[in-house]
Amino acid sequence: MKILLIEDTHDLISVIVRGLNDANIEVSVAVDGQTGLEMALNHEFDLIILDIMLPGLNGIQICREVRKVKENVPILMLTALASTENIVTGLDSGADDYMVKPFKFAELEARIRTLVRRGNRDLIKSDMISISDLEINTSSKTAFRNKNAVSLTSTEYRLLEYLVKNQNKVLSRIQILENVWDIDFNMGTNVVDVYINYLRKKIDTNYPDKLIHTVFGMGYIMKTENLNANSV
């Protein structure tokens, strides 16, 4: 496995590189944003670990530029910024996961292996799934409602795919966090609710048949009709 680490804190670089090398993972390092972007675009990596606060280009800018060229490489952001707004900004830029400093190395290693496994699964999938007039191509990672293309970020797409694959099932916020992000965010954040609202605006706003419903006290469900009187 080959990983690109874009980080400017030398003590943290030393810890990560030493730990990953011990796990037989090859690590390339960039200590500024511009160098990191060039390495990410010009070389192939199984995963990119990306700090947000960097000299030159910041992590958000790097992530957006990488995603224009490479859609499938997993990106894990490291940052000291833990608010819901910062998490959403990082994920909206194209990151697949988000870790807040300080963290335990064992958790970092687990996140890395989970993201790489998920990336490998996504590469071999090729299928169409649908509900009502909503269609998703899991190979091209595109979505269409009534034959109209729906523009989605990578995180919005993963959430939509999970909802559609589990249509007619009530999904709790914890289930969504674990399966869409493969992590357990601090439950004090409302990341799931923020992204559900994003999807509703793109999937349901202009259509009479609403697909994403809230089941009060339980979570969310994707269904062509309301589940019961307690869902909206």
Side-chain angles (χ1 to χ4, degrees), residues 55-118:
L57 296 175
N58 64 45
I60 301 297
Q61 293 170 307
I62 294 170
C63 192
R64 287 173 177 159
E65 291 303 312
V66 170
R67 281 289 176 250
K68 291 178 182 178
V69 180
K70 299 185 177 184
E71 296 182 356
N72 295 318
V73 60
I75 297 176
L76 169 61
M77 280 192 169
L78 302 180
T79 181
L81 306 174
S83 71
T84 297
E85 180 180 357
N86 287 314
I87 292 172
V88 170
T89 299
L91 296 172
D92 273 353
S93 70
D96 298 281
D97 201 348
Y98 193 107
M99 285 192 70
V100 177
K101 304 175 185 178
F103 53 83
K104 294 181 179 179
F105 179 78
E107 182 182 1
L108 173 65
E109 186 178 2
R111 298 274 191 95
I112 289 170
R113 296 195 184 281
T114 297
L115 285 172
V116 171
R117 281 199 306 271
R118 186 172 71 194

Side-chain angles (χ1 to χ4, degrees), residues 90-157:
L91 296 172
D92 273 353
S93 70
D96 298 281
D97 201 348
Y98 193 107
M99 285 192 70
V100 177
K101 304 175 185 178
F103 53 83
K104 294 181 179 179
F105 179 78
E107 182 182 1
L108 173 65
E109 186 178 2
R111 298 274 191 95
I112 289 170
R113 296 195 184 281
T114 297
L115 285 172
V116 171
R117 281 199 306 271
R118 186 172 71 194
N120 291 337
R121 288 199 310 266
D122 289 345
L123 286 175
I124 63 175
K125 288 180 181 176
S126 179
D127 201 4
M128 294 291 294
I129 52 177
S130 64
I131 177 172
S132 184
D133 57 353
L134 173 67
E135 295 183 331
I136 296 177
N137 186 315
T138 59
S139 178
S140 62
K141 300 187 184 303
T142 52
F144 297 85
R145 183 93 199 252
N146 193 29
K147 305 300 181 182
N148 297 312
V150 180
S151 177
L152 300 169
T153 67
S154 60
T155 304
E156 289 168 351
Y157 171 81

